[in-house]
Amino acid sequence: MIKVAIYGKGGIGKSTVTANLAAAFAVKGYKVVQIGCDPKADSTINLLGGNPLIPVMNFMRDNDDEPTIDEMVKTGFGGVECIETGGPTPGIGCAGRGIISTFNLIDDLDVFGRFHPDVVLYDVLGDVVCGGFAAPIREGFAEDILIVTSGEKMALYAANNIKTAVDNFADRGYAKVKGVVLNHRNVENETEKVQAFADEAGIPIVGEIPRSQEIIDWEDQGKTVIEGNPDSDIAKRFFALADYLIKENS
């Protein structure tokens, strides 16, 4: 099973990368589960035709009970099984606890045993890997990590924090950083800045997504580029990223 956690600065494009990657795997014939680990609960929306999924934490808060598998999981484009952890009421509680509670529920309900995924993708909010936000990379969940960044100063700062935090837990059997995905924002000397970070961190740039109106246009329709225009140059880049992860896990 391919199990990948995708990290990066808030707003850097993790959900776009994750959803398109999930769709690319699905088109290739893989059974995929995508888990959105963000209180905004918008990771899977473009796999679901623009229709938001009720997050696990919201369900538990509104119903004072745990959801069933059928209430927690919704099938999206290409048969991707979608889950959103959600989070606490804004200003109250720790968002990381939502991730931990959802992961415990996934284990208790044997979600993976029911769906038998070939690929599990975790879309994780977190500039620093700590508390509940580290849950996806603990032993037994994700095995690989991708860091999404642009050439912007704060995005690279966050990327470095994530890499450093993961390195600090290297002896605990946590997941390992497999590469950087450069999600362009068209800042000056962007490729050179990200390449310099990657070289210093000792990790490769494994994907490069140009800033594209096409992505925005398809997301406005509640779709990934993979669903909307699978033959486009942008789509081919996500297919190539999927191929890289398949090769790394073969």
Side-chain angles (χ1 to χ4, degrees):
M1 188 189 303
I2 299 172
K3 298 182 287 186
V4 185
I6 299 171
Y7 281 86
K9 176 182 177 295
I12 199 58
K14 295 184 300 298
S15 295
T16 292
V17 170
T18 308
N20 277 278
L21 186 55
F25 275 118
V27 168
K28 285 178 171 291
Y30 290 84
K31 183 63 179 176
V32 184
V33 171
Q34 179 172 325
I35 304 173
C37 305
D38 187 327
K40 297 195 302 299
D42 59 358
S43 174
T44 60
I45 194 168
N46 292 315
L47 293 167
L48 296 167
N51 299 307
L53 174 63
I54 297 175
V56 172
M57 295 304 292
N58 293 49
F59 185 97
M60 294 171 68
R61 203 162 46 240
D62 295 342
N63 295 276
D64 197 28
D65 199 3
E66 294 180 347
T68 65
I69 291 181
D70 291 333
E71 290 167 329
M72 178 170 63
V73 184
K74 189 171 182 180
T75 304
F77 170 77
V80 177
E81 305 296 349
C82 302
I83 301 172
E84 295 281 359
T85 66
T89 301
I92 302 174
C94 170
R97 282 186 172 272
I99 298 173
I100 294 171
S101 297
T102 301
F103 281 21
N104 289 338
L105 187 58
I106 288 171
D107 275 345
D108 292 344
L109 295 176
D110 192 23
V111 171
F112 297 160
R114 171 168 171 176
F115 294 109
H116 302 287
D118 304 302
V119 180
V120 182
L121 301 176
Y122 303 88
D123 176 9
V124 192
L125 172 69
D127 296 357
V128 178
V129 182
C130 62
F133 297 111
I137 64 171
R138 291 174 183 157
E139 189 171 6
F141 291 103
E143 295 176 349
D144 298 338
I145 298 170
L146 295 179
I147 299 175
V148 180
T149 188
S150 68
E152 297 163 298
K153 180 178 180 180
M154 294 310 296
L156 287 168
Y157 181 79
N160 186 66
N161 280 346
I162 293 163
K163 177 62 167 60
T164 300
V166 173
D167 287 347
N168 288 339
F169 293 118
D171 61 344
R172 300 189 188 182
Y174 280 27
K176 294 180 174 60
V177 178
K178 283 298 181 73
V180 172
V181 177
L182 168 51
N183 193 30
H184 280 273
R185 293 294 179 85
N186 294 346
V187 301
E188 187 176 2
N189 298 322
E190 185 164 37
T191 301
E192 291 79 6
K193 290 175 181 177
V194 175
Q195 187 65 63
F197 160 73
D199 290 344
E200 184 173 350
I203 50 178
I205 296 176
V206 298
E208 191 168 347
I209 312 301
R211 193 165 182 83
S212 171
Q213 184 62 39
E214 182 178 14
I215 292 175
I216 298 170
D217 290 343
W218 286 118
E219 289 187 345
D220 285 344
Q221 298 180 48
K223 297 180 180 181
T224 62
V225 175
I226 300 297
E227 179 180 3
N229 187 6
D231 295 322
S232 68
D233 175 68
I234 298 294
K236 290 176 182 177
R237 291 172 182 264
F238 288 113
F239 282 122
L241 181 56
D243 286 338
Y244 168 79
L245 292 169
I246 292 167
K247 182 178 178 181
E248 284 292 300
N249 284 274
S250 61

